[in-house]
Amino acid sequence: MLSNTIRSYVRAPILTASLALYGTLAHEQAIVLIAYKWYGVGLNRQRKRLIDGWKREQSMIPTVEDISMALLSAYFEVFFSTTSEAYFQHQIGASKLLEARGPEDCQTGVLHELFQTVRFHMIFVTMITHKPSIFATEQWLTIPFAKRSKTVDDRVVDVLTVMPETLLSSGITGTSATSSTAYEHGFEFSSQAISFIGQLEALWPEVEALLISAGLNYEGFATYAGDDMQLIQMWRCTPTGFDYPDLPTATTIAFYHLAWTLILSPVCGSEAGRQRYGSLIMAHCASILAVATFVDGNNNGSVYNSGCSYLRMVFPLRIICLISPSLMQRQSAWYRLERWRTVKGMGGICAVALASSESQDWQLNLDQI
């Protein structure tokens, strides 16, 4: 049982998230206004609790409730965005609280589940804030998993966790003078990009095994790769004619293709790069869009019955809006985000995603992500 002190502390954020969900589902503006009220109350109580705790003991250890409350506040921002930064600030707050607990405490139980949730959402926070995530460090990549083996999803998230920091430190560029491998086509991959490509190619057999009736993209081989063995190997990671067994698997597949998209896009800054990799990027973007369609088609298309699948897909769609070479794909991703904003009740997070996804420039622009 929770103590009266803890119960009083968590009551406001729980009410905030519950009322936001109900008000959106029932289209009750009065309930939404009450949710806003409790949101403010919850933030004030959380701030006071943390300040008082640090005054009493200089090394206050955050509780499960502390971390959960930060996530519940972020959940409110999914429905109703108070500022364009608020959702990310709550996620950063949750990550700082987990950091104070340390990776050893995040190996089992509720803290491990909270760690998994926060580190996933910090991928996009890192891209947007241009600040490295604590979860990209070696100890946070290994110690929380010391008591269980990593799943395919865990390893895909590992790549995406480390990748934004590498992108931001100019590790992946289209014309890097320090790249270790150059191609006769007039552009280069950095050594970091080559490492990521190797990891994703090694993961592909396990990712492919998650799909139902998957077939290799032979059209891609024949049309775009020719006899280029390196490009053929990359095309092998873009299947056709498949289905997904469930929503968690589908979103894992989407993030695998998102990783490929982020790696390949910077080398398309040149005409030669666009000719060589543009179609491959579109194939990966098509797989992400297929997952978004699958999410919409499950659980009667209800955002309230699909867990975090809708939320997990918002930023992959945003990235397609920014970097896909295909105008049709960019428009399709934009339309789905707009539909989720207006029809699915995700007015907060989708508005933030749409705010800077109007660009028709298909090349990855780190200032926009």
Side-chain angles (χ1 to χ4, degrees):
M1 294 290 291
L2 294 174
S3 69
N4 288 334
T5 301
I6 293 294
R7 188 181 299 114
S8 173
Y9 165 54
V10 301
R11 181 169 179 259
I14 291 174
L15 276 171
T16 296
S18 301
L19 290 168
L21 176 60
Y22 177 75
T24 303
L25 180 62
H27 304 288
E28 288 284 353
Q29 189 60 30
I31 301 297
V32 171
L33 292 175
I34 297 173
Y36 269 99
K37 171 192 169 184
W38 280 106
Y39 179 70
V41 171
L43 290 181
N44 287 332
R45 289 181 180 175
Q46 187 175 29
R47 188 180 300 112
K48 184 178 186 302
R49 173 177 165 78
L50 293 174
I51 291 174
D52 290 348
W54 280 102
K55 285 180 179 178
R56 287 194 306 271
E57 40 185 319
Q58 293 300 311
S59 57
M60 172 189 172
I61 299 176
T63 64
V64 167
E65 289 79 16
D66 291 320
I67 301 164
S68 299
M69 296 312 100
L71 289 176
L72 284 169
S73 296
Y75 186 69
F76 174 84
E77 293 288 336
V78 169
F79 295 100
F80 309 105
S81 178
T82 56
T83 72
S84 59
E85 297 86 16
Y87 172 82
F88 306 107
Q89 289 171 342
H90 290 309
Q91 294 291 352
I92 292 171
S95 74
K96 293 295 185 183
L97 293 171
L98 278 171
E99 184 179 359
R101 287 298 298 251
E104 292 81 5
D105 284 358
C106 298
Q107 294 179 343
T108 59
V110 176
L111 275 172
H112 182 76
E113 294 176 11
L114 290 171
F115 156 74
Q116 290 278 58
T117 298
V118 175
R119 87 154 183 153
F120 174 83
H121 290 291
M122 283 300 294
I123 294 168
F124 304 106
V125 175
T126 300
M127 289 181 181
I128 289 170
T129 63
H130 295 195
K131 295 178 181 178
S133 165
I134 185 66
F135 301 125
T137 62
E138 182 64 24
Q139 62 175 347
W140 279 99
L141 288 168
T142 55
I143 295 174
F145 298 95
K147 296 186 178 180
R148 73 167 183 82
S149 299
K150 288 187 177 181
T151 64
V152 176
D153 182 67
D154 292 328
R155 282 178 284 163
V156 170
V157 172
D158 279 351
V159 174
L160 284 166
T161 297
V162 176
M163 189 183 298
E165 183 174 359
T166 304
L167 287 168
L168 295 172
S169 64
S170 71
I172 299 176
T173 66
T175 56
S176 172
T178 60
S179 296
S180 60
T181 300
Y183 300 105
E184 69 275 14
H185 303 280
F187 51 86
E188 301 172 336
F189 275 117
S190 70
S191 57
Q192 292 95 333
I194 293 168
S195 173
F196 287 134
I197 289 170
Q199 292 176 57
L200 290 174
E201 288 178 345
L203 268 173
W204 173 245
E206 295 177 70
V207 173
E208 185 183 19
L210 299 176
L211 298 169
I212 298 173
S213 302
L216 294 179
N217 197 330
Y218 291 108
E219 181 181 353
F221 299 172
T223 305
Y224 305 109
D227 58 357
D228 186 327
M229 292 307 299
Q230 183 190 52
L231 203 51
I232 287 175
Q233 184 64 27
M234 291 183 179
W235 272 103
R236 289 184 185 278
C237 301
T238 59
T240 59
F242 56 87
D243 200 356
Y244 315 100
D246 50 53
L247 287 167
T249 298
T251 53
T252 295
I253 301 299
F255 281 90
Y256 176 81
H257 291 293
L258 174 65
W260 271 110
T261 303
L262 291 171
I263 289 171
L264 292 171
S265 180
V267 297
C268 290
S270 66
E271 181 61 30
R274 285 191 289 275
Q275 290 179 2
R276 182 177 171 86
Y277 292 110
S279 296
L280 185 56
I281 291 174
M282 286 190 286
H284 287 295
C285 288
S287 293
I288 296 171
L289 289 169
V291 171
T293 300
F294 180 78
V295 170
D296 252 347
N298 274 265
N299 297 305
N300 297 318
S302 171
V303 68
Y304 313 105
N305 297 326
S306 63
C308 294
S309 299
Y310 277 95
L311 179 57
R312 288 167 70 96
M313 290 302 299
V314 167
F315 286 97
L317 290 175
R318 178 177 188 260
I319 289 173
I320 290 177
C321 290
L322 290 170
I323 68 178
S324 172
S326 165
L327 175 60
M328 183 176 294
Q329 286 185 339
R330 296 196 301 271
Q331 291 175 335
S332 177
W334 188 94
Y335 168 79
R336 197 169 293 275
L337 285 172
E338 177 62 19
R339 182 172 178 273
W340 291 358
R341 183 186 72 82
T342 57
V343 177
K344 298 300 182 182
M346 300 175 65
I349 197 67
C350 287
V352 171
L354 286 164
S356 57
S357 62
E358 301 287 346
S359 172
Q360 296 302 306
D361 180 7
W362 56 269
Q363 185 183 359
L364 177 63
N365 184 341
L366 289 175
D367 290 334
Q368 293 179 296
I369 294 182

